[in-house]
Amino acid sequence: MASLIAAGITMENEKRPTTPQKAKTHEKGPTAEELDEIKLTDYGNFTNRRRGSTDISPEGPQTPTPAVTGYQTPKSPGDIEAATPPTPRQQHVVGIVPSWSYPAMNKWRVLAACLIYVGNGINDSSAGALIPYMESYYHIGYAVVSLIWITNAVGFILAAFCTEILAQSIGRAKTLMASEVIMIAGYIIIVCTPPFGAVVFAYFLVGFGYALNLALNNVFCANLANSTVILGAAHGSYGIGGILGPIIATSLVSAKVLWSRFFLILIGIRILCFFAAGWSFWNYEKEGVSMFSNSLQQLASRQAASEMGEPGKFQLLRMALKNKTTIIGALFIFAYQGAEVSESGWFISYLIDYRNGNPAKVGYVTSGFWAGITVGRFTLTHVAHWVGEKRFVYAMGLAVIAFQIISWQVPDVVGDAVAVAILGLLLGPVYPCAATVFTKLLPGNLQTMAIGFISGAGSSGGALVPFLTGLIAQASGTWVLHPICIGFYVIMLGCWTVLPKIGKRQD
């Protein structure tokens, strides 16, 4: 009986309509302050264009359809109290990419960078022509004279830890000017023809200053629009210096001028670089595009800091060193520059030893090698931009190995000179292509430090590989240059294979 009564009560309750609970509202409505706290997402004209909701006709303006967003406009005072804006999960921004002509000073900055690269090219390429005369003057062999490359590399490695700190502390212009002063100090020491130990220390100063300007200019050029072509022009300027270096050095020493006086020319070039870099980059950080770019990097740093705390300089360095692109890129440039400098530094000695070349004449062969590098960087980088940097580097690497073998096996000075010039033509565009790819893969807040480390690794390769070649050549002969270069070209291609795909930045 009780169950029947309960069932009846239940049926009766189901028939009665439930009265909705009255919404709790303020009697006076929301205040102006409460309304101001509500933040609405404004998609502007973009939403209207996408949805076609705005139509101005001769009959008069029509009411646009409300944009659908993650947050709807409150319609009642009760809704105002309950409404909360959606929490943004990540900030998305769109960057303004600077170019050769925007801002207007950029063209002068690129030209200043090219002038600096010309000086760097003369510095690197002249060593091969001067080594026989340095050995004769100091009565030393291949192994001892190779120490200049070792201390040069130490300067590069040390600069990798200082470039970002200096650039943020005193600015890009003053850092570039300081790099030129340090290089000038090294050249002044060499010009005085001191004991060989002082020459070795001077190359340390030259390497340190060189690394500072190289890292900053690489990052600047790589972040411009059409960066592969601009880097090709910049490093092509390095090739122009590479052509001039052996010609000037060989001409001077052939005219019985003391080998160390050659560095007076480099002092003059570095003085021009000092003023060109200081003038063109002086207000770089204050320009709108540069400030916007810095803001993007600060935004990236803040997003990373929200998860792992605010990163300091040493934390950024640790992050850069843990980055896969940094490690693989450093090994790639180590192998590339090691083979390149070895080719430039020891090929003349190889022609003298195994092809009976005249030192006063074969010194110009190195200029042909650097001429090939220059032409390749000015012309073939356009092809690389068209076909894609990844495939282009594979093709160039295989071709370089083929011409290295030809220069080894053809028993003729002219044939070897032609082969090594073509080798330079194919090798030249590899560096700017690699720099472009590395910059695309690296996070913005790590670029300067990571590229500085990669450049330092490249200089280490440009020191250790020629030093290794000199040690082995002391015992076996300079023919070892060829298998050593081929081995490092293979390492270079191996690193290129395991490099992350473009489009995925490795954090």
Side-chain angles (χ1 to χ4, degrees), residues 66-364:
V68 179
T69 67
Y71 173 68
Q72 301 297 326
T73 305
K75 296 181 180 179
S76 68
D79 293 334
I80 293 175
E81 289 188 357
T84 56
T87 302
R89 296 185 178 181
Q90 190 170 358
Q91 300 175 5
H92 297 281
V93 292
V94 177
I96 301 174
V97 180
S99 65
W100 152 265
S101 58
Y102 180 78
M105 281 298 293
N106 271 5
K107 62 173 67 71
W108 299 108
R109 290 167 183 152
V110 172
L111 291 175
C114 289
L115 178 61
I116 291 172
Y117 278 115
V118 169
N120 293 350
I122 295 175
N123 175 83
D124 286 351
S125 64
S126 61
L130 295 176
I131 278 177
Y133 299 91
M134 295 173 68
E135 292 173 346
S136 175
Y137 183 85
Y138 289 109
H139 305 289
I140 55 179
Y142 295 146
V144 177
V145 78
S146 297
L147 290 174
I148 62 175
W149 283 308
I150 295 297
T151 53
N152 191 262
V154 173
F156 253 85
I157 294 171
L158 181 61
F161 299 94
C162 305
T163 305
E164 178 72 12
I165 297 173
L166 285 173
Q168 292 196 3
S169 299
I170 63 176
R172 184 178 294 257
K174 292 180 180 178
T175 303
L176 288 170
M177 295 166 73
S179 74
E180 300 303 323
V181 170
I182 294 170
M183 293 186 75
I184 290 172
Y187 292 142
I188 290 174
I189 294 173
I190 300 174
V191 165
C192 297
T193 325
F196 187 70
V199 174
V200 171
F201 173 73
Y203 269 90
F204 163 78
L205 295 178
V206 171
F208 186 85
Y210 189 136
L212 292 178
N213 69 54
L214 181 64
L216 292 175
N217 287 328
N218 273 344
V219 171
F220 170 72
C221 293
N223 280 290
L224 298 178
N226 205 7
S227 58
T228 302
V229 175
I230 293 176
L231 276 170
H235 288 279
S237 303
Y238 173 86
I240 292 175
I243 298 171
L244 297 175
I247 294 175
I248 298 172
T250 302
S251 300
L252 289 176
V253 294
S254 298
K256 306 303 180 183
V257 177
L258 187 62
W259 64 270
S260 61
R261 301 299 185 260
F262 164 79
F263 291 90
L264 288 171
I265 298 173
L266 282 174
I267 290 174
I269 294 174
R270 298 330 297 201
I271 291 174
L272 292 177
C273 294
F274 174 87
F275 288 106
W279 173 74
S280 60
F281 283 97
W282 191 254
N283 292 317
Y284 176 76
E285 287 83 4
K286 297 180 181 179
E287 289 183 347
V289 174
S290 301
M291 294 175 66
F292 183 75
S293 177
N294 293 335
S295 298
L296 295 183
Q297 293 189 17
Q298 292 171 6
L299 174 60
S301 299
R302 285 197 300 268
Q303 290 178 346
S306 64
E307 299 179 358
M308 55 184 302
E310 187 66 28
K313 300 300 180 188
F314 290 102
Q315 288 178 304
L316 285 175
L317 177 62
R318 191 160 47 245
M319 291 166 60
L321 295 180
K322 289 182 179 179
N323 188 282
K324 185 178 179 181
T325 299
T326 305
I327 302 302
I328 298 174
L331 185 56
F332 178 93
I333 297 298
F334 179 94
Y336 170 89
Q337 202 161 332
E340 179 189 60
V341 177
S342 294
E343 196 80 53
S344 174
W346 291 111
F347 195 74
I348 293 174
S349 299
Y350 169 75
L351 292 178
I352 294 172
D353 294 342
Y354 290 90
R355 300 292 185 259
N356 298 318
N358 185 346
K361 295 181 179 179
V362 297
Y364 297 105

Side-chain angles (χ1 to χ4, degrees), residues 361-385:
K361 295 181 179 179
V362 297
Y364 297 105
V365 172
T366 307
S367 293
F369 171 72
W370 287 104
I373 286 179
T374 304
V375 174
R377 287 177 175 173
F378 276 115
T379 59
L380 295 183
T381 48
H382 296 272
V383 180
H385 185 70

